[in-house]
Amino acid sequence: MSQVIIKDDEVDIVIGALQSDLTSFMEAWRPMFSRFHLIIVKDPDLKEELKVPGGFNLNLYTKSDMDKVVDSSSSTISFSGYSCRYFGYLMSRKKYIISIDDDCIPAKDSKGELIDAVAQHITNLTTPATPFFFNTLYDPFSEGTDFVRGYPFSLRSGVECGLSCGLWLNLADYDAPTQALKPSARNSRYVDAVLTVPARTMLPLSGINIAFNNELVGPTLLPAFRLAKEGKFRWETVEDIWTGMCAKVVCDHLRLGVKSGLPYVWRQERGNAVESLKKEWEGVQLMEEVVPFFQSVRLSEAAVTAEDCIAEIAASVKEQLGRSNPMFARAAENMVEWIKLWKQVRSL
């Protein structure tokens, strides 16, 4: 399987705006973003007017746009806080989506050179993934490496990559209890590697720095699971973790790959871990139920699209988890509603 060439007009860069002044963020990313179309989604709870510098090809969506698409009086889907990025995914018509949060700037590699996160995500999505047999030299399609001795030749062509999960330097993706115990902990370790997450292995996705093939897995990136006291900051949310496990189950079933590693971004500090602990603790506990569920769920041969897969996962969530906690039942309802909304928007 050879590398696919992506044209600039096949890519949308989605940015969820939780701060009103995006000037410094946009200027930092101008060298990487200026070639592509941008979708900026303003947090519906943000009252201040958004400041965006000129010179970019972009569409800006606000609460009024959301209200035109989603009937807030009957819908349980929320685009509040970091969830606003999902509205950008919903509205995109491009084959590939790259999403980077507004508290991130370009990072530098071990040589001190700026990392082009957009280019690396595109490389991840356009080179094959190898989820069915682990290569001990990580990504065999990266420059300077190959398949190791004993790797079956029948698997060396790989499969398409559906999802690319980038990492970040500075503020690590710890949960609130860990960050509260280690308030000064920072991630300064740059690892120049990409690996395919093995099939049937879950991972805690973070929406901070990701990219995906919208045509193959777009409907799996969805706002479904929210805590009762869900907040706005990273420590206070588990929605993207739930989303990532949905996406991983779908990718495994459809024989698509998920990659983790490069590209890195530099993540600024935002929020208070101790205060966030009060909001996130419920999510920390619920993961003990959520992870075994996703590890065991299996989809039928009739599920041949991402939409089919999400519908089946939602039914299993309702049946197996919904009885024990109403939050799971609501998540199942949101998943079903999201698929209806996804199809409705694409039929216009």
Side-chain angles (χ1 to χ4, degrees), residues 24 176 214 294:
S24 60
N214 199 22
F294 281 106

mmCIF file of all heavy atoms in Angstrom, residues 24 176 214 294:
data_model
loop_
_atom_site.group_PDB
_atom_site.id
_atom_site.type_symbol
_atom_site.label_atom_id
_atom_site.label_comp_id
_atom_site.label_asym_id
_atom_site.label_seq_id
_atom_site.Cartn_x
_atom_site.Cartn_y
_atom_site.Cartn_z
ATOM 1 N N SER A 24 -2.643 35.597 19.031
ATOM 2 C CA SER A 24 -1.329 34.985 19.229
ATOM 3 C C SER A 24 -1.328 33.525 18.788
ATOM 4 O O SER A 24 -0.342 33.029 18.217
ATOM 5 C CB SER A 24 -0.898 35.100 20.698
ATOM 6 O OG SER A 24 -1.824 34.455 21.549
ATOM 7 N N ALA A 176 -6.922 14.621 36.952
ATOM 8 C CA ALA A 176 -6.860 15.608 38.026
ATOM 9 C C ALA A 176 -6.170 15.090 39.290
ATOM 10 O O ALA A 176 -5.374 15.815 39.893
ATOM 11 C CB ALA A 176 -8.270 16.111 38.344
ATOM 12 N N ASN A 214 -12.122 11.773 7.574
ATOM 13 C CA ASN A 214 -13.524 12.107 7.815
ATOM 14 C C ASN A 214 -14.472 11.155 7.091
ATOM 15 O O ASN A 214 -15.549 10.832 7.596
ATOM 16 C CB ASN A 214 -13.780 13.551 7.380
ATOM 17 C CG ASN A 214 -15.037 14.143 7.975
ATOM 18 O OD1 ASN A 214 -15.526 13.692 9.001
ATOM 19 N ND2 ASN A 214 -15.567 15.163 7.326
ATOM 20 N N PHE A 294 -15.793 -1.517 26.576
ATOM 21 C CA PHE A 294 -15.275 -1.325 25.223
ATOM 22 C C PHE A 294 -14.290 -2.417 24.822
ATOM 23 O O PHE A 294 -14.174 -2.760 23.646
ATOM 24 C CB PHE A 294 -14.635 0.057 25.092
ATOM 25 C CG PHE A 294 -15.624 1.172 24.899
ATOM 26 C CD1 PHE A 294 -15.905 2.045 25.936
ATOM 27 C CD2 PHE A 294 -16.281 1.342 23.692
ATOM 28 C CE1 PHE A 294 -16.828 3.074 25.767
ATOM 29 C CE2 PHE A 294 -17.200 2.365 23.515
ATOM 30 C CZ PHE A 294 -17.478 3.238 24.553
#
